[in-house]
Amino acid sequence: MFGRKTKSTIDSLIGAETSISGNVHFKGGLRIDGCVKGDVIAEADETSMLVISEHARVEGEVRVAHLLVNGEIVGPVFSSELLELQPKARITGDVYYKALEMHGGAVVSGKLTHEATEEPLLKLAVPVLAANNT
């Protein structure tokens, strides 16, 4: 009960006065208020959330399950669960998403591609009986 984290938990923060040159790899939740010149990539197959705040800027590839953007991203974006684009969001690059929520004022300069999930195949509940040819 006490050890569980929700999807919206932020574990780490890159402050407004911080500038990082290089790739950032993370688990869990990350909020960026500063500038990152490099890729920002969440651990694959893990629940992850990235928040790009209003004054933040990322120059590089972004890969995360749940992405909330109100700042600027220059580079390709891959969101495997939910992409939320707030009114001041600005993305320059192609965007790949599973689910998208886009507010008025958000701008995407690039291609939006919906990544369809594989639906389970329909299986018959009743077994098919072989025809008796006698």
Side-chain angles (χ1 to χ4, degrees), residues 52-86:
I52 308 291
S53 72
E54 182 179 341
H55 301 291
R57 180 178 170 91
V58 174
E59 297 177 24
E61 180 178 302
V62 174
R63 284 186 181 267
V64 66
H66 183 175
L67 176 60
L68 191 150
V69 182
N70 202 25
E72 183 176 9
I73 298 174
V74 179
V77 173
F78 300 86
S79 175
S80 62
E81 287 181 17
L82 174 63
L83 172 60
E84 296 180 59
L85 300 177
Q86 298 292 312

mmCIF file of all heavy atoms in Angstrom, residues 52-86:
data_model
loop_
_atom_site.group_PDB
_atom_site.id
_atom_site.type_symbol
_atom_site.label_atom_id
_atom_site.label_comp_id
_atom_site.label_asym_id
_atom_site.label_seq_id
_atom_site.Cartn_x
_atom_site.Cartn_y
_atom_site.Cartn_z
ATOM 1 N N ILE A 52 6.977 18.199 -19.538
ATOM 2 C CA ILE A 52 7.776 19.283 -20.108
ATOM 3 C C ILE A 52 7.003 20.556 -19.795
ATOM 4 O O ILE A 52 5.965 20.831 -20.393
ATOM 5 C CB ILE A 52 7.943 19.137 -21.647
ATOM 6 C CG1 ILE A 52 8.445 17.746 -22.031
ATOM 7 C CG2 ILE A 52 8.824 20.245 -22.195
ATOM 8 C CD1 ILE A 52 9.848 17.441 -21.635
ATOM 9 N N SER A 53 7.498 21.346 -18.827
ATOM 10 C CA SER A 53 6.743 22.513 -18.367
ATOM 11 C C SER A 53 6.808 23.663 -19.366
ATOM 12 O O SER A 53 7.538 23.613 -20.357
ATOM 13 C CB SER A 53 7.240 22.966 -16.996
ATOM 14 O OG SER A 53 8.499 23.564 -17.117
ATOM 15 N N GLU A 54 6.072 24.699 -19.072
ATOM 16 C CA GLU A 54 5.876 25.829 -19.976
ATOM 17 C C GLU A 54 7.168 26.461 -20.490
ATOM 18 O O GLU A 54 7.260 26.834 -21.643
ATOM 19 C CB GLU A 54 5.024 26.881 -19.265
ATOM 20 C CG GLU A 54 4.711 28.089 -20.102
ATOM 21 C CD GLU A 54 3.844 29.088 -19.361
ATOM 22 O OE1 GLU A 54 3.187 28.731 -18.367
ATOM 23 O OE2 GLU A 54 3.827 30.259 -19.800
ATOM 24 N N HIS A 55 8.179 26.606 -19.650
ATOM 25 C CA HIS A 55 9.423 27.274 -20.067
ATOM 26 C C HIS A 55 10.529 26.290 -20.432
ATOM 27 O O HIS A 55 11.653 26.703 -20.724
ATOM 28 C CB HIS A 55 9.889 28.217 -18.964
ATOM 29 C CG HIS A 55 8.866 29.268 -18.650
ATOM 30 N ND1 HIS A 55 8.544 30.287 -19.517
ATOM 31 C CD2 HIS A 55 8.058 29.431 -17.582
ATOM 32 C CE1 HIS A 55 7.595 31.036 -18.985
ATOM 33 N NE2 HIS A 55 7.279 30.538 -17.810
ATOM 34 N N ALA A 56 10.232 24.992 -20.431
ATOM 35 C CA ALA A 56 11.239 23.961 -20.718
ATOM 36 C C ALA A 56 11.441 23.794 -22.220
ATOM 37 O O ALA A 56 10.565 24.098 -23.031
ATOM 38 C CB ALA A 56 10.803 22.642 -20.104
ATOM 39 N N ARG A 57 12.636 23.285 -22.562
ATOM 40 C CA ARG A 57 12.984 23.014 -23.961
ATOM 41 C C ARG A 57 13.800 21.735 -24.024
ATOM 42 O O ARG A 57 14.758 21.569 -23.269
ATOM 43 C CB ARG A 57 13.768 24.174 -24.549
ATOM 44 C CG ARG A 57 14.189 23.983 -26.008
ATOM 45 C CD ARG A 57 14.934 25.221 -26.533
ATOM 46 N NE ARG A 57 15.538 24.989 -27.815
ATOM 47 C CZ ARG A 57 14.969 25.209 -28.990
ATOM 48 N NH1 ARG A 57 13.733 25.666 -29.014
ATOM 49 N NH2 ARG A 57 15.613 24.988 -30.118
ATOM 50 N N VAL A 58 13.419 20.837 -24.931
ATOM 51 C CA VAL A 58 14.171 19.607 -25.177
ATOM 52 C C VAL A 58 14.540 19.582 -26.647
ATOM 53 O O VAL A 58 13.671 19.723 -27.510
ATOM 54 C CB VAL A 58 13.348 18.345 -24.812
ATOM 55 C CG1 VAL A 58 14.096 17.085 -25.208
ATOM 56 C CG2 VAL A 58 13.016 18.333 -23.331
ATOM 57 N N GLU A 59 15.828 19.424 -26.911
ATOM 58 C CA GLU A 59 16.323 19.297 -28.289
ATOM 59 C C GLU A 59 16.861 17.894 -28.448
ATOM 60 O O GLU A 59 18.007 17.624 -28.098
ATOM 61 C CB GLU A 59 17.418 20.330 -28.565
ATOM 62 C CG GLU A 59 16.950 21.761 -28.475
ATOM 63 C CD GLU A 59 18.084 22.757 -28.681
ATOM 64 O OE1 GLU A 59 19.097 22.407 -29.313
ATOM 65 O OE2 GLU A 59 17.948 23.888 -28.176
ATOM 66 N N GLY A 60 16.019 16.995 -28.933
ATOM 67 C CA GLY A 60 16.410 15.601 -29.100
ATOM 68 C C GLY A 60 15.175 14.720 -29.114
ATOM 69 O O GLY A 60 14.040 15.184 -28.987
ATOM 70 N N GLU A 61 15.408 13.427 -29.242
ATOM 71 C CA GLU A 61 14.325 12.445 -29.267
ATOM 72 C C GLU A 61 13.738 12.266 -27.875
ATOM 73 O O GLU A 61 14.463 12.258 -26.881
ATOM 74 C CB GLU A 61 14.886 11.114 -29.770
ATOM 75 C CG GLU A 61 13.879 10.006 -29.843
ATOM 76 C CD GLU A 61 14.495 8.734 -30.387
ATOM 77 O OE1 GLU A 61 15.025 8.774 -31.524
ATOM 78 O OE2 GLU A 61 14.464 7.718 -29.674
ATOM 79 N N VAL A 62 12.407 12.113 -27.818
ATOM 80 C CA VAL A 62 11.718 11.871 -26.553
ATOM 81 C C VAL A 62 10.958 10.555 -26.683
ATOM 82 O O VAL A 62 10.180 10.375 -27.614
ATOM 83 C CB VAL A 62 10.744 13.020 -26.210
ATOM 84 C CG1 VAL A 62 9.919 12.687 -24.978
ATOM 85 C CG2 VAL A 62 11.502 14.324 -26.013
ATOM 86 N N ARG A 63 11.204 9.627 -25.724
ATOM 87 C CA ARG A 63 10.520 8.324 -25.689
ATOM 88 C C ARG A 63 10.025 8.068 -24.280
ATOM 89 O O ARG A 63 10.820 7.958 -23.359
ATOM 90 C CB ARG A 63 11.463 7.185 -26.080
ATOM 91 C CG ARG A 63 11.739 7.086 -27.538
ATOM 92 C CD ARG A 63 12.555 5.843 -27.871
ATOM 93 N NE ARG A 63 12.825 5.805 -29.270
ATOM 94 C CZ ARG A 63 12.081 5.178 -30.170
ATOM 95 N NH1 ARG A 63 11.016 4.511 -29.789
ATOM 96 N NH2 ARG A 63 12.382 5.202 -31.441
ATOM 97 N N VAL A 64 8.694 7.957 -24.127
ATOM 98 C CA VAL A 64 8.099 7.779 -22.806
ATOM 99 C C VAL A 64 6.684 7.214 -22.969
ATOM 100 O O VAL A 64 6.087 7.353 -24.045
ATOM 101 C CB VAL A 64 8.092 9.124 -22.041
ATOM 102 C CG1 VAL A 64 7.184 10.127 -22.700
ATOM 103 C CG2 VAL A 64 7.762 8.954 -20.581
ATOM 104 N N ALA A 65 6.158 6.607 -21.919
ATOM 105 C CA ALA A 65 4.788 6.091 -21.977
ATOM 106 C C ALA A 65 3.780 7.239 -21.943
ATOM 107 O O ALA A 65 2.980 7.398 -22.853
ATOM 108 C CB ALA A 65 4.546 5.114 -20.826
ATOM 109 N N HIS A 66 3.831 8.068 -20.901
ATOM 110 C CA HIS A 66 2.874 9.162 -20.727
ATOM 111 C C HIS A 66 3.642 10.476 -20.789
ATOM 112 O O HIS A 66 4.535 10.690 -19.986
ATOM 113 C CB HIS A 66 2.170 9.010 -19.378
ATOM 114 C CG HIS A 66 1.120 10.037 -19.123
ATOM 115 N ND1 HIS A 66 0.321 9.996 -18.021
ATOM 116 C CD2 HIS A 66 0.718 11.148 -19.803
ATOM 117 C CE1 HIS A 66 -0.514 11.019 -18.022
ATOM 118 N NE2 HIS A 66 -0.285 11.736 -19.102
ATOM 119 N N LEU A 67 3.294 11.322 -21.735
ATOM 120 C CA LEU A 67 3.996 12.589 -21.940
ATOM 121 C C LEU A 67 3.017 13.741 -21.857
ATOM 122 O O LEU A 67 1.991 13.754 -22.540
ATOM 123 C CB LEU A 67 4.682 12.591 -23.313
ATOM 124 C CG LEU A 67 5.393 13.865 -23.745
ATOM 125 C CD1 LEU A 67 6.500 14.240 -22.769
ATOM 126 C CD2 LEU A 67 5.951 13.700 -25.148
ATOM 127 N N LEU A 68 3.338 14.717 -20.999
ATOM 128 C CA LEU A 68 2.546 15.939 -20.873
ATOM 129 C C LEU A 68 3.455 17.100 -21.266
ATOM 130 O O LEU A 68 4.502 17.291 -20.647
ATOM 131 C CB LEU A 68 2.052 16.107 -19.431
ATOM 132 C CG LEU A 68 1.014 17.197 -19.231
ATOM 133 C CD1 LEU A 68 0.097 16.819 -18.080
ATOM 134 C CD2 LEU A 68 1.630 18.529 -18.980
ATOM 135 N N VAL A 69 3.070 17.825 -22.308
ATOM 136 C CA VAL A 69 3.914 18.893 -22.848
ATOM 137 C C VAL A 69 3.193 20.239 -22.752
ATOM 138 O O VAL A 69 2.053 20.367 -23.195
ATOM 139 C CB VAL A 69 4.282 18.632 -24.331
ATOM 140 C CG1 VAL A 69 5.194 19.723 -24.859
ATOM 141 C CG2 VAL A 69 4.920 17.270 -24.508
ATOM 142 N N ASN A 70 3.887 21.235 -22.185
ATOM 143 C CA ASN A 70 3.417 22.619 -22.228
ATOM 144 C C ASN A 70 4.579 23.527 -22.620
ATOM 145 O O ASN A 70 4.454 24.733 -22.601
ATOM 146 C CB ASN A 70 2.805 23.042 -20.886
ATOM 147 C CG ASN A 70 1.853 24.217 -21.041
ATOM 148 O OD1 ASN A 70 1.286 24.435 -22.105
ATOM 149 N ND2 ASN A 70 1.685 24.987 -19.997
ATOM 150 N N GLY A 71 5.710 22.928 -22.959
ATOM 151 C CA GLY A 71 6.901 23.647 -23.379
ATOM 152 C C GLY A 71 7.240 23.295 -24.813
ATOM 153 O O GLY A 71 6.343 23.066 -25.638
ATOM 154 N N GLU A 72 8.545 23.211 -25.104
ATOM 155 C CA GLU A 72 8.991 23.010 -26.491
ATOM 156 C C GLU A 72 9.841 21.761 -26.625
ATOM 157 O O GLU A 72 10.723 21.503 -25.812
ATOM 158 C CB GLU A 72 9.784 24.226 -26.954
ATOM 159 C CG GLU A 72 10.227 24.140 -28.391
ATOM 160 C CD GLU A 72 10.925 25.395 -28.889
ATOM 161 O OE1 GLU A 72 11.225 26.284 -28.060
ATOM 162 O OE2 GLU A 72 11.172 25.478 -30.103
ATOM 163 N N ILE A 73 9.568 20.986 -27.689
ATOM 164 C CA ILE A 73 10.381 19.825 -28.050
ATOM 165 C C ILE A 73 10.774 19.992 -29.509
ATOM 166 O O ILE A 73 9.922 20.232 -30.368
ATOM 167 C CB ILE A 73 9.621 18.501 -27.871
ATOM 168 C CG1 ILE A 73 9.222 18.295 -26.409
ATOM 169 C CG2 ILE A 73 10.468 17.324 -28.364
ATOM 170 C CD1 ILE A 73 8.333 17.079 -26.169
ATOM 171 N N VAL A 74 12.071 19.857 -29.775
ATOM 172 C CA VAL A 74 12.576 19.872 -31.145
ATOM 173 C C VAL A 74 13.192 18.501 -31.385
ATOM 174 O O VAL A 74 14.286 18.206 -30.907
ATOM 175 C CB VAL A 74 13.624 20.987 -31.360
ATOM 176 C CG1 VAL A 74 14.146 20.952 -32.785
ATOM 177 C CG2 VAL A 74 13.032 22.351 -31.037
ATOM 178 N N GLY A 75 12.471 17.646 -32.077
ATOM 179 C CA GLY A 75 12.916 16.283 -32.322
ATOM 180 C C GLY A 75 11.726 15.345 -32.341
ATOM 181 O O GLY A 75 10.598 15.743 -32.023
ATOM 182 N N PRO A 76 11.951 14.087 -32.704
ATOM 183 C CA PRO A 76 10.847 13.125 -32.767
ATOM 184 C C PRO A 76 10.336 12.766 -31.374
ATOM 185 O O PRO A 76 11.094 12.739 -30.401
ATOM 186 C CB PRO A 76 11.464 11.913 -33.462
ATOM 187 C CG PRO A 76 12.923 12.026 -33.198
ATOM 188 C CD PRO A 76 13.227 13.497 -33.106
ATOM 189 N N VAL A 77 9.033 12.496 -31.287
ATOM 190 C CA VAL A 77 8.385 12.170 -30.017
ATOM 191 C C VAL A 77 7.679 10.823 -30.161
ATOM 192 O O VAL A 77 6.936 10.607 -31.116
ATOM 193 C CB VAL A 77 7.360 13.261 -29.636
ATOM 194 C CG1 VAL A 77 6.557 12.851 -28.416
ATOM 195 C CG2 VAL A 77 8.052 14.593 -29.407
ATOM 196 N N PHE A 78 7.920 9.928 -29.186
ATOM 197 C CA PHE A 78 7.298 8.615 -29.154
ATOM 198 C C PHE A 78 6.610 8.446 -27.802
ATOM 199 O O PHE A 78 7.271 8.396 -26.773
ATOM 200 C CB PHE A 78 8.342 7.509 -29.342
ATOM 201 C CG PHE A 78 9.079 7.590 -30.643
ATOM 202 C CD1 PHE A 78 10.215 8.381 -30.768
ATOM 203 C CD2 PHE A 78 8.637 6.884 -31.749
ATOM 204 C CE1 PHE A 78 10.899 8.464 -31.962
ATOM 205 C CE2 PHE A 78 9.321 6.960 -32.956
ATOM 206 C CZ PHE A 78 10.448 7.754 -33.065
ATOM 207 N N SER A 79 5.269 8.378 -27.808
ATOM 208 C CA SER A 79 4.499 8.199 -26.585
ATOM 209 C C SER A 79 3.715 6.895 -26.705
ATOM 210 O O SER A 79 2.808 6.791 -27.522
ATOM 211 C CB SER A 79 3.541 9.376 -26.382
ATOM 212 O OG SER A 79 2.722 9.150 -25.260
ATOM 213 N N SER A 80 4.079 5.901 -25.885
ATOM 214 C CA SER A 80 3.469 4.576 -26.013
ATOM 215 C C SER A 80 2.115 4.452 -25.322
ATOM 216 O O SER A 80 1.416 3.464 -25.523
ATOM 217 C CB SER A 80 4.426 3.505 -25.481
ATOM 218 O OG SER A 80 4.694 3.715 -24.111
ATOM 219 N N GLU A 81 1.731 5.436 -24.501
ATOM 220 C CA GLU A 81 0.420 5.394 -23.852
ATOM 221 C C GLU A 81 -0.392 6.643 -24.175
ATOM 222 O O GLU A 81 -1.265 6.602 -25.006
ATOM 223 C CB GLU A 81 0.562 5.241 -22.336
ATOM 224 C CG GLU A 81 1.000 3.855 -21.906
ATOM 225 C CD GLU A 81 1.101 3.720 -20.411
ATOM 226 O OE1 GLU A 81 0.551 4.565 -19.673
ATOM 227 O OE2 GLU A 81 1.757 2.770 -19.964
ATOM 228 N N LEU A 82 -0.084 7.759 -23.506
ATOM 229 C CA LEU A 82 -0.884 8.976 -23.671
ATOM 230 C C LEU A 82 0.016 10.179 -23.894
ATOM 231 O O LEU A 82 0.996 10.366 -23.171
ATOM 232 C CB LEU A 82 -1.742 9.214 -22.420
ATOM 233 C CG LEU A 82 -2.537 10.522 -22.356
ATOM 234 C CD1 LEU A 82 -3.564 10.596 -23.482
ATOM 235 C CD2 LEU A 82 -3.222 10.663 -20.999
ATOM 236 N N LEU A 83 -0.341 10.984 -24.868
ATOM 237 C CA LEU A 83 0.347 12.244 -25.144
ATOM 238 C C LEU A 83 -0.644 13.370 -24.899
ATOM 239 O O LEU A 83 -1.707 13.417 -25.526
ATOM 240 C CB LEU A 83 0.837 12.287 -26.592
ATOM 241 C CG LEU A 83 1.399 13.615 -27.090
ATOM 242 C CD1 LEU A 83 2.602 14.051 -26.258
ATOM 243 C CD2 LEU A 83 1.774 13.519 -28.554
ATOM 244 N N GLU A 84 -0.308 14.264 -23.949
ATOM 245 C CA GLU A 84 -1.154 15.419 -23.640
ATOM 246 C C GLU A 84 -0.430 16.680 -24.078
ATOM 247 O O GLU A 84 0.665 16.960 -23.597
ATOM 248 C CB GLU A 84 -1.425 15.503 -22.139
ATOM 249 C CG GLU A 84 -2.203 14.347 -21.569
ATOM 250 C CD GLU A 84 -2.424 14.506 -20.080
ATOM 251 O OE1 GLU A 84 -3.041 15.521 -19.682
ATOM 252 O OE2 GLU A 84 -1.959 13.633 -19.334
ATOM 253 N N LEU A 85 -1.033 17.425 -24.985
ATOM 254 C CA LEU A 85 -0.455 18.672 -25.466
ATOM 255 C C LEU A 85 -1.260 19.831 -24.885
ATOM 256 O O LEU A 85 -2.413 20.045 -25.260
ATOM 257 C CB LEU A 85 -0.454 18.715 -26.997
ATOM 258 C CG LEU A 85 0.346 17.594 -27.674
ATOM 259 C CD1 LEU A 85 0.213 17.692 -29.185
ATOM 260 C CD2 LEU A 85 1.801 17.643 -27.255
ATOM 261 N N GLN A 86 -0.645 20.547 -23.968
ATOM 262 C CA GLN A 86 -1.272 21.680 -23.298
ATOM 263 C C GLN A 86 -1.250 22.903 -24.237
ATOM 264 O O GLN A 86 -0.577 22.883 -25.263
ATOM 265 C CB GLN A 86 -0.533 21.976 -21.994
ATOM 266 C CG GLN A 86 -0.586 20.832 -20.983
ATOM 267 C CD GLN A 86 -1.970 20.611 -20.439
ATOM 268 O OE1 GLN A 86 -2.644 21.537 -20.027
ATOM 269 N NE2 GLN A 86 -2.422 19.357 -20.457
#
